[in-house]
């Protein structure tokens, strides 16, 4: 009999087809010997059923006897909904992994599994039920944490192992929270610590987090069983874990199919449900479009646009009203690249504005009319001074001549640093810079909402002056990185994710939960069969709901007035703008360079200071 195990996680789907040789004794199941015939591992990009259809034919090609029975078991964080729709047995992934150890590795005392979003330990004691422990809502000590570090270092996750193997030192990094770890890593980058040492320090931090959070004082002794993708692809992680446990390679078991252990486990358990037994033709029918259709969704919101034509008409109207007033040229800012708007700078007074953030530097050059001549947007990589200096050099090289600046101004995280180091004329707070930019586009502006990568600022205006300012506190949900993180997690570029949201017909209501809890909400959406565009549109609604209800706690939308302007890179995503209009019933304006408005406001301030 063949057994098919399917592990559907939050980002990947794993399949394993096994065949179990005849047992020596009915009373000793550990004598059975499963043989793995075929495996497949793919990202499902929020479409597990569709990707499952693509994978199944290749898997079934390993079945030599066309008349044999096949049992099917499903596991994984997204697997339950898929199992219900297919009508096959579901097994919790920890239990599935434990089954592999119980049947095949009776000498194991502790199983350690690191997945994309979770980590777990299972302790086995003779005569006792296995004790299972999993991480809570924190992503520390997981594959996602490792991926985040690779992004900060500007390398692929696959490169981390080679880097860590060459490390000379290990530095302390907080692995409890991604926010704290990012601060520690950026600090190391700013101190010119090598990528090799940072990679090794991160793997050490992950190992310490797994041991401290899951062992919780319980002694771990040989043998230990290691499974999960990170252990399979990053041998240096194994080394650091063994060091944390004071063990050697002889004390651990790393199975050949370590990333497929839950899939193999649910295959072994699949014989418990007689309803999960099929012949080859029935398996193919089970995974056909008729069975893998989309299930009704439990909570949906109104579509943001009726269709592509509706979206284009809306965008054209916005461009006529706000897109070019006082700003000459339509700009598509590109990270780490410059954009030349106008080379004609002879006999013009030029004014420079710079927004030096914690992770990016934005530079804008304007003339006396407030028209854009040059823009630059780049990552700091932990060095604000070098980032600004490089941007200035790119501006000089791009315009091809010496530039005389009549006035300059800075804002943001590095405001005082740049002002002092480069002798800039002015420095202003971010809210003032954003207010000046918005007022230049809309003189009667009543409310300005700025959403960046990790922060949110709301400016209430009355009679042309700032009345009050609200900012988000410790929570980063509802910010740009919130959407970017999930877009990449689902396998999409942010720009593609944003456009998909504008065309969704059944936006999924994700609520206003924090980033960690949103993971479970997204998994629920995928279990119910929500399409990627529905999830993308749900995020757009979630960003605005978080702002209106959690940060601002508005009693009435009348508090926003009738002239609303939005800024920040998040509003490059037009579905977020439209969600704000849909929820408030008010028209919302935005300029062609939302991510550069802080720098643009600084340039305007510098121009005003020269009059």
């Amino acid at each position: 009999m063949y057994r098919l195990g399917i592990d559907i996680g939050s980002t990947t789907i794993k399949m394993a087809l096994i065949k179990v040789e005849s047992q020596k004794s009915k009373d000793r199941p550990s004598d059975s010997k499963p043989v793995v015939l075929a495996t497949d591992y793919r990202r499902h990009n929020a479409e597990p059923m569709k990707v499952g259809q693509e994978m199944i034919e290749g898997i079934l090609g390993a079945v030599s006897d066309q008349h044999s029975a096949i049992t099917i078991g499903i596991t994984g964080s997204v697997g339950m909904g898929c199992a219900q729709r297919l009508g096959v047995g579901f097994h919790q992934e920890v239990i599935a992994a434990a089954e592999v150890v119980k049947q095949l590795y009776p000498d194991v005392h502790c199983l350690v599994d690191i997945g994309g979003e979770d980590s777990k330990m299972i302790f086995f004691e003779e005569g006792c039920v296995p004790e299972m422990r999993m991480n809570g809502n924190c992503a520390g000590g997981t594959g996602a944490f490792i991926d985040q570090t690779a992004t900060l270092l500007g390398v692929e996750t696959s490169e981390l192992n080679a880097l860590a193997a060459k490390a000379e030192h290990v530095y302390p990094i907080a692995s409890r929270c991604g926010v704290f770890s990012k601060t520690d890593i950026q600090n190391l980058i700013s101190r010119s610590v090598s990528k090799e040492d940072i990679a090794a320090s991160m793997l050490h931090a992950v190992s310490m987090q797994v041991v401290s959070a899951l062992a919780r004082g319980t002694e771990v002794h040989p043998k230990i069983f290691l499974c999960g993708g990170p252990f399979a692809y990053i041998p240096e992680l194994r080394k650091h874990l063994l060091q944390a446990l004071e063990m050697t390679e002889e004390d651990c078991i790393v199975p050949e199919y370590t990333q497929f252990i839950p899939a193999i486990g649910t295959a072994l358990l699949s014989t418990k449900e007689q309803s999960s037994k099929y012949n080859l033709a029935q398996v193919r029918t089970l995974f056909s479009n008729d069975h893998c259709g989309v299930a009704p969704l439990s909570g949906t919101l109104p579509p943001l646009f009726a269709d592509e034509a509706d979206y284009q008409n809306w965008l054209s109207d916005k461009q006529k009203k706000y897109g070019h007033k006082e700003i000459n040229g339509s700009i598509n800012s590109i990270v780490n690249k410059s954009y030349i708007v106008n080379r004609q700078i002879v006999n013009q007074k030029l004014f420079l504005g710079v927004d030096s953030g914690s992770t990016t530097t934005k530079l804008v050059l304007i003339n006396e009319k407030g028209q854009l001549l040059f823009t630059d947007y780049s990552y700091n990589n932990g060095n604000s001074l070098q980032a600004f200096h490089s941007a200035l050099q790119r501006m000089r090289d791009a315009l091809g001549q010496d530039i005389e600046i009549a006035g300059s101004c800075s804002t943001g995280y590095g405001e005082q640093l740049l002002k002092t180091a480069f002798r800039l004329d002015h420095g202003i707070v971010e809210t003032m810079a954003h207010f000046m930019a918005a007022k230049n586009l809309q003189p009667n502006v009543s409310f300005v909402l700025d959403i960046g990568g990790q922060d949110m600022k709301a400016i209430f205006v009355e009679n042309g002056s700032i009345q009050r300012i609200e900012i988000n506190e410790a929570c980063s949900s509802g910010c740009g990185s919130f959407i970017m993180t999930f877009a990449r997690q689902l396998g999409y570029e942010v720009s593609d994710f944003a456009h998909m949201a504008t065309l969704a017909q059944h936006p999924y209501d994700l609520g206003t939960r924090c980033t960690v809890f949103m993971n479970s909400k997204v998994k629920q959406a995928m279990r119910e069969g929500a399409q990627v565009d529905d999830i993308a549109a749900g995020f757009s609604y979630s960003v605005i709901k978080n702002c209106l209800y959690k940060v601002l706690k508005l009693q009435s939308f009348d508090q926003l007035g009738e002239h609303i302007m939005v800024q920040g890179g998040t509003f490059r995503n037009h579905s977020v703008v439209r969600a704000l209009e849909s929820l408030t019933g008010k028209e919302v304006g935005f300029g062609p360079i939302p991510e550069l408005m802080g720098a643009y406001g600084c340039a305007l301030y510098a121009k005003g200071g020269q009059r």
Side-chain angles (χ1 to χ4, degrees):
M1 182 182 295
Y2 294 91
R3 305 180 187 184
L4 174 63
I6 305 173
D7 179 8
I8 309 176
S10 58
T11 58
T12 61
I13 178 169
K14 285 82 72 178
M15 289 189 182
L17 181 71
I18 67 175
K19 188 174 184 180
V20 180
E21 302 295 339
S22 58
Q23 300 176 354
K24 295 180 181 179
S25 171
K26 293 182 178 180
D27 299 326
R28 298 184 62 190
S30 60
D31 287 339
S32 60
K33 185 179 180 181
V35 177
V36 178
L37 302 177
T39 60
D40 199 352
Y41 184 116
R42 302 187 193 182
R43 285 187 174 271
H44 56 60
N45 298 328
E47 297 180 309
M49 303 302 280
K50 177 181 177 181
V51 175
Q53 292 175 20
E54 297 171 357
M55 296 170 67
I56 194 67
E57 198 58 42
I59 290 289
L60 294 180
V63 177
S64 57
D65 186 349
Q66 301 297 301
H67 301 288
S68 291
I70 302 174
T71 62
I72 302 175
I74 293 181
T75 189
S77 57
V78 180
M80 182 177 290
C82 298
Q84 291 172 344
R85 289 160 62 189
L86 294 174
V88 302
F90 173 81
H91 310 99
Q92 207 280 336
E93 58 187 306
V94 179
I95 295 175
E99 188 68 18
V100 175
V101 172
K102 287 193 295 183
Q103 288 202 31
L104 305 178
Y105 302 93
D107 295 334
V108 166
H109 170 251
C110 178
L111 177 149
V112 184
D113 181 8
I114 295 181
E117 292 182 358
D118 56 21
S119 56
K120 48 189 95 68
M121 272 189 178
I122 307 175
F123 292 92
F124 299 89
E125 297 288 352
E126 189 174 351
C128 300
V129 175
E131 182 180 355
M132 305 176 185
R133 300 176 184 177
M134 295 185 66
N135 66 323
N137 293 323
C138 178
T142 67
F145 180 85
I146 296 173
D147 289 342
Q148 181 187 53
T149 302
T151 300
L152 288 174
L153 293 178
V155 301
E156 295 295 326
T157 303
S158 58
E159 299 176 61
L160 288 174
N161 190 74
L163 289 172
K166 299 176 182 178
E168 297 180 358
H169 304 283
V170 172
Y171 296 84
I173 292 177
S175 64
R176 176 64 181 167
C177 172
V179 175
F180 297 148
S181 68
K182 185 175 182 179
T183 301
D184 286 346
I185 292 170
Q186 287 180 329
N187 179 48
L188 294 176
I189 293 172
S190 67
R191 290 162 51 192
S192 299
V193 173
S194 68
K195 290 184 178 181
E196 289 81 0
D197 286 353
I198 295 175
S201 300
M202 177 274 299
L203 297 179
H204 175 76
V206 169
S207 300
M208 296 304 296
Q209 171 66 14
V210 170
V211 173
S212 62
L214 300 180
R216 296 195 295 272
T218 300
E219 182 182 356
V220 181
H221 56 78
K223 287 188 177 293
I224 62 172
F225 183 89
L226 305 181
C227 59
F231 283 130
Y233 303 120
I234 310 177
E236 285 295 305
L237 177 61
R238 303 201 302 263
K239 184 182 79 172
H240 283 276
L241 180 69
L242 291 174
Q243 288 176 352
L245 294 172
E246 299 181 350
M247 293 184 184
T248 65
E249 289 283 351
E250 289 72 26
D251 296 324
C252 73
I253 296 173
V254 182
E256 180 181 0
Y257 299 98
T258 179
Q259 66 269 48
F260 294 97
I261 293 303
I264 294 172
T266 197
L268 293 172
L269 291 167
S270 64
T271 54
K272 294 184 178 181
E273 294 86 14
Q274 291 302 315
S275 60
S276 296
K277 186 183 294 185
Y278 306 90
N279 60 38
L280 202 61
Q282 289 173 327
V283 175
R284 288 193 171 97
T285 301
L286 191 67
F287 282 86
S288 67
N289 289 327
D290 291 340
H291 285 79
C292 294
V294 178
L297 302 180
S298 61
T300 59
L301 296 165
L304 296 168
F305 298 97
D307 48 33
E308 178 72 26
D310 184 32
Y311 166 57
Q312 293 299 331
N313 290 335
W314 175 87
L315 183 58
S316 177
D317 182 61
K318 295 296 182 187
Q319 290 173 339
K320 290 177 183 177
K321 290 181 178 179
Y322 307 101
H324 302 284
K325 184 177 181 181
E326 295 296 330
I327 295 183
N328 184 29
S330 177
I331 298 175
N332 295 310
S333 195
I334 304 174
V335 173
N336 284 332
K337 291 190 177 180
S338 307
Y339 192 93
I340 304 169
V341 182
N342 192 338
R343 293 181 183 272
Q344 303 303 317
I345 62 174
V346 180
N347 298 323
Q348 293 191 67
K349 284 189 176 182
L350 307 178
F351 304 93
L352 181 70
V354 56
D355 181 358
S356 177
S358 59
T359 57
T360 60
T361 293
K362 284 82 71 177
L363 183 147
V364 163
L365 185 70
I366 65 172
N367 60 15
E368 291 180 281
K369 296 180 181 180
Q371 296 173 320
L372 280 169
L373 303 178
F374 178 87
T375 71
D376 190 271
Y377 188 115
S378 62
Y379 286 113
N380 292 342
N381 295 322
N383 193 330
S384 300
L385 291 174
Q386 182 59 50
F388 182 50
H389 182 269
S390 299
L392 290 175
Q393 187 62 51
R394 286 192 292 270
M395 180 176 69
R396 180 176 298 173
D397 294 343
L399 296 177
Q401 53 194 293
D402 291 333
I403 301 170
E404 185 175 346
I405 306 297
S408 56
C409 180
S410 63
T411 191
Y413 178 81
E415 172 203 334
Q416 284 298 324
L417 181 64
L418 296 190
K419 182 175 181 292
T420 302
F422 291 88
R423 298 182 181 180
L424 304 182
D425 298 311
H426 307 281
I428 59 175
V429 297
E430 289 181 80
T431 48
M432 181 58 69
H434 287 288
F435 171 59
M436 291 193 68
K439 191 173 182 180
N440 189 71
L441 288 176
Q442 171 54 270
N444 297 318
V445 62
S446 59
F447 176 73
V448 182
L449 177 61
D450 175 73
I451 302 181
Q454 295 181 351
D455 59 6
M456 180 187 302
K457 295 179 285 289
I459 305 171
F460 293 83
V461 182
E462 189 173 307
N463 298 322
S465 301
I466 296 176
Q467 180 190 34
R468 67 185 175 96
I469 299 169
E470 300 283 351
I471 62 174
N472 65 321
E473 296 178 354
C475 181
S476 65
S477 65
C479 297
S481 58
F482 178 74
I483 296 179
M484 181 176 69
T485 297
F486 280 97
R488 291 177 176 174
Q489 181 177 307
L490 296 175
Y492 293 89
E493 292 298 323
V494 178
S495 57
D496 297 331
F497 201 65
H499 188 68
M500 293 168 67
T502 63
L503 305 180
Q505 293 303 299
H506 306 284
Y508 194 92
D509 189 357
L510 296 170
T512 58
R513 316 187 88 189
C514 83
T515 305
V516 173
F517 296 137
M518 188 64 77
N519 280 317
S520 60
K521 194 69 175 179
V522 172
K523 291 173 188 175
Q524 177 183 330
M526 289 191 288
R527 282 195 296 267
E528 293 185 11
Q531 302 299 298
V532 180
D533 54 354
D534 296 329
I535 295 174
F539 277 118
S540 299
Y541 271 110
S542 181
V543 165
I544 298 303
K545 284 185 174 183
N546 181 77
C547 171
L548 298 178
Y549 306 136
K550 289 179 66 177
V551 177
L552 301 181
K553 300 180 176 65
L554 293 179
Q555 301 298 316
S556 169
F557 295 137
D558 291 338
Q559 294 175 257
L560 305 179
E562 299 302 320
H563 301 286
I564 300 172
M565 295 294 294
V566 294
Q567 303 174 359
T570 299
F571 289 107
R572 274 280 177 195
N573 184 339
H574 295 154
S575 65
V576 179
V577 182
R578 183 58 179 162
L580 179 57
E581 290 186 330
S582 178
L583 290 169
T584 63
K586 296 177 179 290
E587 182 179 353
V588 175
F590 60 95
I593 52 168
E595 73 278 27
L596 295 169
M597 293 300 270
Y600 182 64
C602 277
L604 292 172
Y605 187 89
K607 181 173 76 75
Q610 294 297 310
R611 284 203 292 262

